[in-house]
Amino acid sequence: MVDREPEPAREPVRPADGPADGVAAAGPDVDGLGVFDGPGHDEAATPPRSRRLGVVTFVLALVLLALDGLALGLLAADVVGPAAVLALVTLLASIVVGVVALIAVAMRRGRWWGVAALLLSVLANPFVLVRLIGQFVSTV
């Protein structure tokens, strides 16, 4: 790296026909802020955001809920090994789908689909589902 002397700041270039006392004359980019002189940002001109992320997380949450039901069915049939594997997969996947649903809500990419997916992913968590089933099903 070579040490160099800092270059002094350049004086602003004033138009030849403008006043010399520092008063800005009417004209484009006289004050150096021509970037802000254009038309403002129009919210209606922006394209609508895609709802695809929220819809995909909702569908994934439904699939997880179905896999959880399948795991409970396997457990009822005394097939414990595959039921435990499915429960573990749905446990981890429900956490991931819940986080992605939160991202969809925060980024407004299918906000209400994301909210529904978040609720379903909480319900698809095996611990929550077994607890709810235990609350509503009476023991014989």
Side-chain angles (χ1 to χ4, degrees):
M1 184 177 223
V2 178
D3 291 332
R4 294 188 304 172
E5 291 289 323
E7 294 181 18
R10 295 184 201 170
E11 290 293 322
V13 178
R14 291 191 172 88
D17 60 342
D21 62 351
V23 177
D29 202 21
V30 173
D31 55 358
L33 298 175
V35 175
F36 301 110
D37 292 339
H41 179 70
D42 189 13
E43 290 293 328
T46 59
R49 293 184 178 201
S50 173
R51 299 182 312 191
R52 186 176 297 161
L53 184 62
V55 173
V56 167
T57 55
F58 180 76
V59 170
L60 287 175
L62 283 176
V63 168
L64 288 177
L65 202 57
L67 283 176
D68 228 2
L70 180 63
L72 285 174
L74 288 174
L75 189 62
D78 288 334
V79 184
V80 178
V85 169
L86 276 178
L88 181 63
V89 167
T90 56
L91 172 71
L92 297 175
S94 68
I95 294 169
V96 172
V97 169
V99 169
V100 174
L102 277 175
I103 291 171
V105 170
M107 292 179 59
R108 296 181 182 172
R109 305 278 180 172
R111 175 170 279 182
W112 296 112
W113 288 103
V115 169
L118 183 63
L119 293 174
L120 284 179
S121 69
V122 169
L123 184 63
N125 191 321
F127 293 120
V128 174
L129 189 62
V130 168
R131 176 79 174 176
L132 287 175
I133 290 173
Q135 291 289 327
F136 292 116
V137 174
S138 63
T139 58
V140 178

